[in-house]
Amino acid sequence: MGATCGIISRNGKEIKQVALPIQRPKFLEGFPPPDLREAGIGYYLIPQTMNDRLLENLGKWNKMINMYSSTTYPFETYLKDPERKQKLLRRIRKGPPVQYRWQAWIAVMQLSSKINEDAYAKFPMAEETIMATIKRDLDRTFPNQPYFDKQNFNNSGQASLERILGKFASQHPDIGYCQGMNFIAGFLLMISGGSEIEAYFALQVLCEKYDLRGFFIENMPYLKKCVWIFNRIFRIKLPKLWEHFQDENVPDDAWILKWFMTIYSMTLNFEAIARIWDCFLVDGIKMLYRVALSILSSIETNLLGLDAVEICEALKEVKNIIDPESLIISSLKVKIQKEKIKMFENAYKRRILGRNSTKSVPPLRPKPEEATNAQSEQWLKPPLPKKEPYSPQPRPFVMEEIREDIRDHSARGKMHSFSSNVSEEHPLRRSTQVPTLPDIYSARKYTNSFRAEPSTGWVDDDSSRSESDEASETVDVKTVLHELLRDKSRDNLFRINYIGAPLKREVDIDKKINFINRLPI
Amino acid sequence: MEVDREFKIVTLGEGRVGKTSLAMRYVRGQFNEKEQSTTNANFLEKNIRINETSIKLNIWDTAGQERFRALAPNYYREAKGALLVYDITDKESFWKVVSWVEELKMQADKDISFVIAGNKCDLELDRQIPKEQAIAYAKQIGAAHYSTSAKSGMGVNECFEEIAKLILDKESRSGSPIRSSKARSRVIVKNQEEVVKKKKSGGCC
């Protein structure tokens, strides 16, 4: 297996002749993809200059492929043995050589069993209204790539993209078509070298196994959840910047939602996107959090001096200032504990989903037993959630949030007393009911009086919080506030909100209490 | 620069009609033939001056697909103005504007001012929506209609400024100035050092 082909350097010159696996694109009869090199797709999408490190890496992968040269999908066999599987996953995370990237992705997505060429050929296209929406986006997907230029290669790129999205919409009526999918499908098409059928099933696997379905269906429940969780992590990891984003009211729509929704394929250059996808396919959604944090931290000092519009602008242009390899290296260094994500997931369920009726949100994932049952692929196609009437929702009353905070804490048995005279008989300790008025009042006095967070820097100090820290301690908030206001030297640590000013959406009492506990009073 | 008023404006309309291009042309004076499709939204701003009032326009350039509204129901919230865009070469896109008008009347701020823009006027030969019909419709609902072209720049400044004027008019008529969103936001006392630092480093404008 293998044809001799060159690796092109950045200036287009061939540097080294190496063996390349023959990419056998799977396409509909009569619609062959163009020549990879001319179209700049497949392993020509990301030109790279050979160096010793890459050569060594290539050597390793060559060895892996030689062992199983007879199969169509050479790396799939690696999945059968747990040890070898780990090895394969580790190497994919480190970055497969461009020649083997698509094969590696096929393996990690366990795609080969899903691919069904005959079925694909028979899938009908979606109904007219959906097709009209898809068609509007075809020439606006990677518009600068020659492959997606209508004039080139008999319009091969756009036609393949149209078929993938059209057939996908007809087969997945709950998802249909959502803007953003065009970039994901387009990127898969380019990496696969125009292998339309493989790209289609890869999109399907991304939606099923990687939960991207929840990014694209009505209401986008999973996307909302991920961004909510990300904001929590963002606040812990980069408190200063998070604060700044809140002060400036930087809208999520203009950056993080886009980044996540398209798995960065609109935001960065191809090399970075491919590397992010390498890790995303192995690690899952966590990688998206890591990359975002890494990008933010690398330009934190710049962002701190900008206003909302400028921040959006800067984050849009981020591809020009970030070096792909160092981005990945620093991303992989970002530590996010699984338990913490789990904790935030629970918090999200309790707070956000609990607030609205949970019924309107379809399940994010099938239950395990359902998923294994071949017949019940039905979970993929639940009835469309009822479209909520679109209306500007009034800002949830601040008190409601405070109540929730209190409820959360009391439910976890970590209720802290906010006023100085709370006894063991505190009503909040016994039930998760909405607290009675005096309690709310004291909580309000506390939360409205000041908002102060220590500037913790990069260290994830939440993890170091021990149970003893959580011990209920009685603190006179008034004294603390006076203390703060008097001591000017601490000013650079705090920003103080005056009484009566509206609260921020999320009141993190836990953190504040942690902070108060540490005060030398 | 002192800003007297701050208005939030949204661009609405079918996908591909040129919402992003219009906003980019207005704010940056650029036109990109190969604009990517918009997911979610873009956020732009521009300072203008109308009758001695300096105004900061916060422009929310939204995605065409309605599904994105689930993520940001606040697209309308506090929006004082809307630019409803259709493509003169695309019949469907005009019906979308009609449905947006209905929706805005039902849902959004009662005071919302809007302007209809028939974009891509450089493609006059492919025109599908007769100009008279569009203008008649605009008249009927009491809105201004502009023929625009993000490519040539025709009518772009005019339609955005018209929205600002409409909002100002409404303000003066109702007597109570519509407070900007900034004024409503919470009071933060930053320490002196930080303020000074910000001023020094703020070479942004």
Side-chain angles (χ1 to χ4, degrees):
Chain A
M1 168 152 195
T4 325
C5 198
I7 295 178
I8 45 173
S9 70
R10 280 189 199 282
N11 53 18
K13 257 207 248 156
E14 284 189 14
I15 291 206
K16 187 115 190 162
Q17 297 283 318
V18 280
L20 291 180
I22 298 168
Q23 275 195 348
R24 295 192 196 84
K26 292 194 186 304
F27 51 87
L28 276 187
E29 224 184 301
F31 301 102
D35 181 75
L36 299 186
R37 186 189 301 216
E38 269 176 44
I41 52 174
Y43 33 78
Y44 293 100
L45 181 64
I46 303 162
Q48 54 177 283
T49 323
M50 253 309 153
N51 57 30
D52 290 348
R53 201 177 55 81
L54 287 176
L55 262 181
E56 195 192 323
N57 193 24
L58 188 61
K60 284 182 191 168
W61 282 80
N62 273 335
K63 245 186 224 166
M64 279 163 77
I65 238 177
N66 287 338
M67 287 178 178
Y68 297 97
S69 51
S70 57
T71 53
T72 329
Y73 297 112
F75 301 121
E76 288 257 305
T77 41
Y78 268 73
L79 299 172
K80 286 169 191 156
D81 177 48
E83 210 171 288
R84 288 171 156 244
K85 184 179 173 183
Q86 283 313 312
K87 188 173 166 188
L88 177 72
L89 294 184
R90 215 168 45 236
R91 284 195 175 162
I92 291 174
R93 232 161 149 259
K94 278 186 186 164
V98 284
Q99 303 85 333
Y100 298 134
R101 178 163 275 132
W102 182 242
Q103 289 299 335
W105 286 8
I106 286 180
V108 67
M109 287 196 265
Q110 302 186 17
L111 205 59
S112 61
S113 58
K114 304 261 176 187
I115 293 170
N116 187 339
E117 288 176 66
D118 298 334
Y120 179 77
K122 282 176 199 145
F123 291 154
M125 295 291 252
E127 53 167 303
E128 219 171 280
T129 47
I130 297 179
M131 287 315 293
T133 318
I134 293 174
K135 278 182 186 144
R136 285 172 195 278
D137 281 342
L138 290 177
D139 61 351
R140 302 194 296 160
T141 310
F142 300 114
N144 296 315
Q145 282 306 105
Y147 176 57
F148 286 117
D149 193 328
K150 224 178 192 164
Q151 315 294 331
N152 299 340
F153 321 113
N154 296 325
N155 190 23
S156 164
Q158 284 190 29
S160 293
L161 187 63
E162 183 180 350
R163 279 192 298 270
I164 290 181
L165 294 172
K167 287 177 187 237
F168 189 86
S170 78
Q171 293 307 299
H172 304 81
D174 59 324
I175 303 176
Y177 170 71
C178 178
Q179 286 184 315
M181 284 165 74
N182 52 332
F183 288 98
I184 291 193
F187 189 64
L188 286 167
L189 256 178
M190 287 193 290
I191 288 281
S192 68
S195 182
E196 186 181 324
I197 297 176
E198 286 170 341
Y200 171 89
F201 287 100
L203 181 62
Q204 183 174 314
V205 167
L206 281 176
C207 284
E208 290 171 10
K209 241 174 81 182
Y210 291 83
D211 287 339
L212 293 201
R213 169 181 171 272
F215 278 15
F216 301 127
I217 55 173
E218 281 302 329
N219 270 324
M220 306 175 177
Y222 192 51
L223 184 62
K224 280 182 190 166
K225 180 173 152 183
C226 289
V227 169
W228 191 87
I229 293 173
F230 168 74
N231 271 316
R232 288 299 172 109
I233 302 171
F234 180 17
R235 174 160 61 179
I236 295 171
K237 296 280 189 188
L238 298 164
K240 226 169 148 189
L241 191 61
W242 185 83
E243 189 85 351
H244 182 64
F245 272 46
Q246 301 307 303
D247 288 346
E248 292 293 335
N249 279 324
V250 180
D252 284 343
D253 302 72
W255 64 292
I256 192 72
L257 283 163
K258 278 178 206 245
W259 289 3
F260 281 10
M261 188 152 199
T262 56
I263 322 187
Y264 295 94
S265 55
M266 269 178 88
T267 321
L268 300 168
N269 58 31
F270 291 135
E271 191 180 348
I273 304 164
R275 287 295 289 117
I276 291 170
W277 282 49
D278 289 339
C279 303
F280 168 73
L281 292 175
V282 174
D283 291 349
I285 205 81
K286 208 168 152 182
M287 188 60 195
L288 304 189
Y289 303 148
R290 282 191 180 132
V291 172
L293 289 171
S294 168
I295 293 174
L296 289 173
S297 77
S298 67
I299 51 173
E300 182 180 9
T301 34
N302 300 344
L303 294 179
L304 281 171
L306 304 178
D307 69 18
V309 171
E310 291 162 334
I311 288 174
C312 293
E313 208 51 39
L315 293 175
K316 225 165 139 191
E317 301 299 327
V318 92
K319 74 165 95 173
N320 302 325
I321 49 169
I322 283 186
D323 169 56
E325 203 46 50
S326 52
L327 171 68
I328 298 299
I329 291 171
S330 63
S331 299
L332 290 176
K333 277 185 193 153
V334 178
K335 294 259 179 307
I336 305 170
Q337 290 168 341
K338 258 186 198 157
E339 301 81 55
K340 187 146 291 159
I341 294 182
K342 190 90 206 149
M343 193 182 92
F344 288 139
E345 272 175 4
N346 289 336
Y348 179 78
K349 245 184 240 159
R350 205 166 47 235
R351 291 190 176 195
I352 308 299
L353 298 187
R355 182 180 294 162
N356 313 322
S357 91
T358 24
K359 279 170 198 162
S360 66
V361 183
L364 296 172
R365 241 180 195 293
K367 284 177 190 146
E369 61 268 27
E370 279 175 6
T372 48
N373 187 345
Q375 281 184 328
S376 66
E377 290 276 299
Q378 279 305 313
W379 67 271
L380 277 173
K381 302 161 194 161
L384 281 174
K386 215 173 132 196
K387 208 172 165 189
E388 283 172 10
Y390 178 54
S391 60
Q393 285 161 6
R395 195 177 180 288
F397 188 41
V398 173
M399 285 314 294
E400 186 51 41
E401 293 183 6
I402 297 172
R403 269 191 216 116
E404 271 168 39
D405 271 46
I406 293 170
R407 230 179 289 152
D408 270 10
H409 279 260
S410 57
R412 276 187 286 156
K414 286 180 191 167
M415 182 59 201
H416 292 260
S417 43
F418 296 107
S419 57
S420 49
N421 56 352
V422 181
S423 69
E424 279 300 303
E425 297 305 308
H426 198 287
L428 293 180
R429 285 176 190 280
R430 287 182 311 209
S431 69
T432 55
Q433 296 296 306
V434 177
T436 51
L437 249 183
D439 306 320
I440 295 172
Y441 178 70
S442 61
R444 179 193 193 169
K445 196 167 72 182
Y446 161 73
T447 41
N448 252 5
S449 300
F450 72 99
R451 229 183 83 254
E453 277 168 24
S455 57
T456 40
W458 186 255
V459 192
D460 188 352
D461 75 319
D462 262 31
S463 56
S464 62
R465 189 194 298 154
S466 65
E467 279 302 308
S468 62
D469 277 348
E470 301 283 354
S472 160
E473 236 179 79
T474 308
V475 178
D476 188 344
V477 178
K478 235 177 173 176
T479 328
V480 178
L481 181 60
H482 276 280
E483 194 76 7
L484 285 177
L485 288 172
R486 214 175 38 218
D487 187 358
K488 284 267 162 62
S489 65
R490 285 199 193 141
D491 271 6
N492 51 359
L493 281 179
F494 314 114
R495 286 179 177 183
I496 296 165
N497 275 5
Y498 273 134
I499 297 169
L503 281 173
K504 282 186 178 170
R505 273 195 74 93
E506 288 149 10
V507 183
D508 197 341
I509 289 184
D510 215 352
K511 206 158 180 189
K512 270 170 210 150
I513 288 171
N514 202 14
F515 159 65
I516 290 170
N517 284 342
R518 273 189 255 141
L519 280 178
I521 336 174
Chain B
M1 180 177 160
E2 275 287 296
V3 176
D4 301 330
R5 293 271 186 279
E6 196 174 332
F7 298 143
K8 179 171 165 182
I9 291 178
V10 289
T11 63
L12 301 169
E14 181 67 273
R16 219 207 140 73
V17 295
K19 298 182 290 295
T20 305
S21 294
L22 277 177
M24 292 298 263
R25 167 61 90 179
Y26 179 57
V27 174
R28 294 211 207 133
Q30 294 167 351
F31 176 72
N32 181 3
E33 190 89 42
K34 293 181 171 179
E35 193 69 62
Q36 288 198 343
S37 67
T38 309
T39 60
N40 304 99
N42 298 320
F43 186 36
L44 303 154
E45 70 180 22
K46 181 158 173 143
N47 291 315
I48 54 169
R49 185 165 272 281
I50 288 175
N51 304 337
E52 303 302 303
T53 320
S54 69
I55 300 171
K56 186 186 202 179
L57 293 180
N58 287 331
I59 301 168
W60 284 67
D61 166 35
T62 66
Q65 205 171 12
E66 294 189 27
R67 208 174 283 195
F68 288 99
R69 285 194 265 156
L71 288 169
N74 56 355
Y75 276 162
Y76 295 148
R77 208 192 298 163
E78 293 178 9
K80 294 290 165 215
L83 181 68
L84 306 179
V85 189
Y86 70 91
D87 173 356
I88 62 160
T89 67
D90 180 352
K91 254 185 195 155
E92 287 304 312
S93 70
F94 187 76
W95 296 119
K96 189 79 184 182
V97 165
V98 175
S99 74
W100 268 115
V101 169
E102 295 305 313
E103 187 152 356
L104 283 182
K105 280 184 175 166
M106 303 260 292
Q107 307 278 6
D109 193 329
K110 287 258 156 21
D111 285 331
I112 196 161
S113 316
F114 51 83
V115 163
I116 297 173
N119 196 28
K120 305 198 187 176
C121 277
D122 49 292
L123 303 174
E124 191 61 48
L125 288 178
D126 300 325
R127 184 185 271 280
Q128 298 259 329
I129 309 287
K131 203 170 176 179
E132 301 74 37
Q133 186 196 326
I135 292 176
Y137 172 74
K139 217 172 187 179
Q140 186 193 324
I141 58 162
H145 177 280
Y146 283 84
S147 296
T148 62
S149 164
K151 193 171 183 177
S152 70
M154 170 184 146
V156 177
N157 289 358
E158 288 83 347
C159 67
F160 278 100
E161 273 159 25
E162 175 70 21
I163 299 177
K165 274 182 205 152
L166 284 173
I167 302 170
L168 273 179
D169 274 2
K170 265 190 189 155
E171 236 181 45
S172 58
R173 239 182 293 143
S174 65
S176 61
I178 304 163
R179 284 193 299 166
S180 72
S181 56
K182 269 271 162 67
R184 238 181 286 167
S185 66
R186 77 209 117 78
V187 183
I188 298 173
V189 179
K190 289 174 186 168
N191 67 56
Q192 285 300 315
E193 247 180 63
E194 213 164 302
V195 173
V196 173
K197 228 197 250 166
K198 236 192 171 169
K199 268 186 189 159
K200 270 184 191 163
S201 64
C204 45
C205 320

